[in-house]
């Protein structure tokens, strides 16, 4: 960045960025986030639902503001949960295609309140420790348009799911492959930067003043969109390649290392 640049706002992914795989946030990261939040807007920008994002915002002690959930499909006021912006799609054809190409896959959709409908229970913690889940049939999964469709198969690998995404022939939607055999289907053209544009507009801010940190493939658009996009140390190579720089991993308090530079 140019000499003397300082963030006017900060966008933070949650899982793998703020929180480690044991659902822990280090005190050093909490301190750094709180110090930054006293000076500029902090926007949590996550694939999580509102229901599982709110406890993280509370843990961090964030002031009133905005959060971006569901990989950019929902932007909400914090702490009220009032929806500012929502993007949806009809997943019917995708659900049928998944059943054809991955008959054993589990599927989930996010409800308005942030709870989930699932075709089978997901592995513990996958949808967030605080998530409310209800098991339904394929036919009951999406009677109306949804913000996201999650596809998960614990028996498959990450690379299997990269190939599955190609076999599904997804049209009119976007998708992100996660760390494991996890595929997030989103409305076409919607990613984390979509929600961040909405949130920044609420503050009258532009992307060039945004500092963003993330670790996943679903963070790439956010990192590119931000004035300064920083990948976590354990991020996949394709994420690091799109970032402006790379910090330490979540287990080494990479977020604190970056925020302490500016705040």
């Amino acid at each position: 960045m140019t000499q003397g640049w300082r963030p006017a706002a900060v966008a933070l992914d949650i899982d793998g960025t703020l929180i480690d795989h044991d659902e822990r946030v280090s005190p050093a990261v909490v301190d750094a986030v709180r110090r930054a939040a006293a000076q500029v807007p902090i926007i949590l920008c996550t694939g999580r639902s509102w229901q599982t994002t709110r406890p993280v915002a509370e843990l961090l002690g964030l002031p009133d503001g905005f959060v971006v959930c569901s990989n950019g499909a929902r932007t909400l006021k914090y702490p009220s949960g009032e929806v500012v912006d929502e993007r949806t799609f009809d997943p019917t054809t995708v659900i049928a295609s998944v059943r054809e190409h991955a008959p054993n896959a589990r599927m989930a959709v996010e409800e308005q309140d942030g709870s989930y409908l699932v075709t089978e229970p997901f592995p513990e913690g996958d949808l967030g420790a605080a998530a409310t889940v209800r098991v339904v049939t394929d036919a009951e999964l999406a009677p109306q348009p949804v913000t996201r469709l999650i596809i998960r198969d614990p028996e498959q690998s990450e690379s299997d799911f990269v190939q599955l995404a190609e076999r599904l022939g997804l049209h009119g939607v976007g998708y992100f492959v996660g760390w494991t055999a996890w595929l997030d289907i989103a409305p076409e053209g919607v990613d984390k930067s979509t929600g961040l544009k909405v949130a920044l507009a609420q503050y009258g801010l532009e992307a060039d003043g945004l500092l963003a940190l993330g670790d996943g493939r679903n963070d790439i658009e956010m990192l590119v969109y931000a004035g300064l996009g920083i990948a976590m140390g354990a991020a996949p190579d394709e994420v690091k390649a799109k970032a402006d720089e790379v910090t330490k991993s979540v287990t080494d308090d990479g977020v604190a290392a970056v925020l302490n530079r500016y705040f």
Side-chain angles (χ1 to χ4, degrees):
M1 298 302 297
T2 53
Q3 193 72 29
W5 181 88
R6 275 179 59 81
V10 178
L12 297 172
D13 169 54
I14 294 179
D15 297 286
T17 300
L18 286 169
I19 288 181
D20 66 19
H21 296 299
D22 295 318
E23 289 274 317
R24 287 185 304 222
V25 189
S26 83
V29 168
V30 173
D31 287 348
V33 172
R34 288 181 177 177
R35 200 176 314 115
Q39 300 175 57
V40 300
I42 301 285
I43 305 164
L44 297 182
C45 193
T46 177
R48 290 184 176 214
S49 72
W50 162 245
Q51 191 182 64
T52 52
T53 300
R54 182 176 54 203
V56 179
E58 291 168 351
L59 172 70
L60 294 170
L62 294 184
D64 292 7
F66 300 88
V67 296
V68 175
C69 297
S70 311
N71 284 321
R74 300 183 93 202
T75 304
L76 307 99
K77 286 185 179 178
Y78 173 78
S80 71
E82 178 188 336
V83 177
V84 179
D85 183 70
E86 182 175 75
R87 315 293 172 98
T88 60
F89 71 105
D90 180 353
T92 311
T93 55
V94 180
I95 291 170
S97 188
V98 170
R99 275 293 168 252
E100 180 186 345
H101 295 282
N104 297 322
R106 307 166 192 203
M107 289 182 276
V109 301
E110 191 179 310
E111 292 271 79
Q112 282 283 342
D113 63 0
S115 63
Y116 292 93
L117 300 179
V118 300
T119 56
E120 275 184 75
F122 274 45
E124 187 175 352
D126 264 20
L127 296 172
T132 303
V133 174
R134 185 160 62 91
V135 179
V136 298
T137 65
D138 283 11
E140 296 168 323
L141 190 61
Q144 55 197 24
V146 299
T147 53
R148 69 196 296 208
L149 172 69
I150 301 166
I151 303 160
R152 177 81 164 94
D153 187 346
E155 307 303 315
Q156 300 287 309
S157 70
E158 182 182 334
S159 60
D160 289 334
F161 260 45
V162 171
Q163 292 167 16
L164 172 63
E166 293 166 359
R167 286 204 312 277
L168 287 175
L170 299 168
H171 302 293
V173 295
Y175 69 89
F176 312 97
V177 177
W179 280 103
T180 52
W182 175 293
L183 188 58
D184 236 315
I185 312 289
E188 186 170 26
V190 172
D191 54 59
K192 288 188 176 185
S193 73
T194 310
L196 282 173
K197 287 171 191 168
V198 174
L200 289 176
Q202 305 294 318
Y203 293 111
L205 297 173
E206 300 291 337
D208 58 5
L210 181 66
L211 165 66
L213 289 104
D215 74 311
R217 294 181 182 89
N218 62 335
D219 292 314
I220 289 174
E221 292 84 0
M222 171 177 82
L223 298 179
V224 171
Y225 170 71
L228 179 59
I230 300 181
M232 301 298 289
D237 288 343
E238 66 252 52
V239 178
K240 292 177 178 176
K242 295 290 188 179
D244 297 305
E245 61 179 86
V246 178
T247 185
K248 295 185 286 187
S249 71
V250 64
T251 51
D252 292 321
D253 298 339
V255 167
V258 174
L259 294 184
N260 291 342
R261 189 194 311 172
Y262 297 108
F263 305 104

